[in-house]
Amino acid sequence: MATREEVRAAAVAVLGGIAPEADLTALGADVPLRRALDLDSVDFQNFLIGLTKALGVEIPDREAAALTTLTACMDRLADGRRRA
């Protein structure tokens, strides 16, 4: 089961691979990721795939759209109920 901080760290690591030029240390937890990092739909899909691999969780399509901020990722993925 991943903690909130483990989810945050995984998300930041994945985003670092997708947007290496971004200053992720300044990224607020409630800032929309796509807008703040100028992620297109392919980048966002790669983010979801990276989270799936890093955390060993399954992210259903119906929930993927809700993972818009680091807080949303932590809220939805930290409990570990969707382990793959």
Side-chain angles (χ1 to χ4, degrees):
M1 187 181 303
T3 66
R4 291 178 63 80
E5 285 308 312
E6 289 169 335
V7 171
R8 180 178 172 61
V12 169
V14 171
L15 290 168
I18 294 168
E21 72 288 348
D23 179 9
L24 298 174
T25 60
L27 183 62
D30 295 316
V31 174
L33 299 172
R34 289 186 70 172
R35 185 180 61 200
L37 302 175
D38 196 27
L39 303 179
D40 62 22
S41 59
V42 173
D43 291 333
F44 189 70
Q45 193 65 28
N46 287 333
F47 171 63
L48 297 174
I49 291 167
L51 278 180
T52 297
K53 290 179 181 178
L55 298 172
V57 296
E58 185 177 323
I59 303 172
D61 289 339
R62 66 184 181 280
E63 289 190 24
L67 301 179
T68 58
T69 65
L70 291 175
T71 296
C73 291
M74 291 184 291
D75 288 348
R76 292 181 178 265
L77 302 175
D79 63 14
R81 288 180 295 179
R82 290 175 293 280
R83 291 251 168 226

